[in-house]
Amino acid sequence: MSITDREPVPAELLDTVRTKHSALWALGDYPAVADEVIPSLGAVLVEACDVGRGDHVLDVAAGSGNAAIPAALAGADVVASDLSPVLLAAGRERAAERGAVLRWEVADAHALPFDDGAFDVVMSCVGVMFAPFHELAAGELTRVARPGGTIGTIAWTPDGFIGQMFATMKPFAPPPPPGAQPPPWWGDELHVRSLLGDRVTDLRAEVRGLVVDRFASGVEFRDFFKATYGPTIATYRFLGEDSARVAELDAALADLADAHLADGTMTWDYLVVRATRA
């Protein structure tokens, strides 16, 4: 079945997902993850997209501005969009602290409230990957980019550390909505090529590694993500008072991180994609 042959996602389901995901990313303290664990990742995407002065840029699923703020500091006219008002509020604070001027708008990656071809650059740094209906989100990324404009994404790879973390949590987590696709598929080049299709040209993709030196042990990693990272918090909440299952997940996450730690560092693989809107 081709992408265009797929059944449309019911409006009621989209509304439900929108509400749940807005609440999900308000759990914990995702800005702490962005600030303490992956602070350099947004600037990597800004550089990959060659964002410069005067570019009209949309950052989709921008969170607290990990990529949007560096784009604004590069001189671009930036709109940062996200489902979570909580994350946007955190982003406004960080932008003010760094002297960055940009707009912040609540928006769903499945249905962006912007005109066709409105932006020179449309980008997303480990953000749009969490919109569960990939075809819808990819269609929106390309729709709002002008012909000849740039589309850029960074996503965790399925086989990298974060992809493995999601695979580890999956047996313990609530079931995804019908028709949802796993977030790390956005980190697979063939999947991204199939999503964007002939709506883009000159697609270039490269797997890179982010060196993370924030955690001295697997237990430290696990406890930090249990306290800050929405998907991990939601998984534990789903387990409720089942102490045996909680202990099982505790051990699995700590063991996974320990297996990736060497001399206090881990390398988290991600896929960076840049393409031109056809």
Side-chain angles (χ1 to χ4, degrees), residues 6-111:
R6 288 183 181 272
E7 291 292 322
V9 181
E12 320 84 75
L13 179 57
L14 280 175
D15 286 343
T16 299
V17 166
R18 191 174 294 122
T19 299
K20 287 185 175 180
H21 276 232
S22 179
L24 170 73
W25 291 104
L27 295 173
D29 187 2
Y30 182 76
V33 178
D35 293 345
E36 299 179 31
V37 185
I38 61 168
S40 64
L41 210 54
V44 170
L45 183 58
V46 170
E47 181 179 1
C49 292
D50 196 24
V51 172
R53 186 165 301 280
D55 284 338
H56 195 198
V57 176
L58 174 65
D59 187 6
V60 177
S64 53
N66 185 270
I69 292 171
L73 292 173
D77 173 19
V78 180
V79 177
S81 68
D82 198 276
L83 266 181
S84 170
V86 172
L87 294 187
L88 295 180
R92 288 188 187 96
E93 291 180 2
R94 282 155 177 76
E97 291 168 358
R98 297 180 61 182
V101 177
L102 62 157
R103 285 190 291 142
W104 303 84
E105 296 197 21
V106 176
D108 180 4
H110 297 120

Side-chain angles (χ1 to χ4, degrees), residues 220-233:
E220 185 180 351
F221 162 80
R222 179 201 67 205
D223 290 348
F224 181 82
F225 265 54
K226 281 179 71 172
T228 60
Y229 194 61
T232 304
I233 296 168

Side-chain angles (χ1 to χ4, degrees), residues 159-171:
D159 296 331
F161 175 74
I162 296 295
Q164 291 181 41
M165 184 193 75
F166 276 98
T168 298
M169 293 194 303
K170 183 178 178 180

Side-chain angles (χ1 to χ4, degrees), residues 79-171:
V79 177
S81 68
D82 198 276
L83 266 181
S84 170
V86 172
L87 294 187
L88 295 180
R92 288 188 187 96
E93 291 180 2
R94 282 155 177 76
E97 291 168 358
R98 297 180 61 182
V101 177
L102 62 157
R103 285 190 291 142
W104 303 84
E105 296 197 21
V106 176
D108 180 4
H110 297 120
L112 295 170
F114 308 109
D115 292 338
D116 295 358
F119 296 93
D120 301 306
V121 178
V122 180
M123 63 182 188
S124 185
C125 182
V126 294
V128 74
M129 64 182 290
F130 292 103
F133 306 111
H134 293 190
E135 292 88 356
L136 277 182
E140 287 295 275
L141 291 183
T142 53
R143 180 184 65 79
V144 300
R146 65 167 175 79
T150 298
I151 296 166
T153 61
I154 282 179
W156 304 117
T157 65
D159 296 331
F161 175 74
I162 296 295
Q164 291 181 41
M165 184 193 75
F166 276 98
T168 298
M169 293 194 303
K170 183 178 178 180

Side-chain angles (χ1 to χ4, degrees), residues 170-228:
K170 183 178 178 180
F172 301 90
Q181 293 177 302
W185 283 13
W186 271 95
D188 176 81
E189 180 179 345
L190 291 179
H191 183 65
V192 177
R193 286 185 180 277
S194 73
L195 289 175
L196 300 178
D198 60 7
R199 292 173 293 196
V200 303
T201 61
D202 192 28
L203 188 152
R204 287 167 280 171
E206 179 187 1
V207 174
R208 301 183 189 176
L210 176 72
V211 175
V212 175
D213 59 5
R214 170 64 174 74
F215 309 106
S217 68
V219 168
E220 185 180 351
F221 162 80
R222 179 201 67 205
D223 290 348
F224 181 82
F225 265 54
K226 281 179 71 172
T228 60

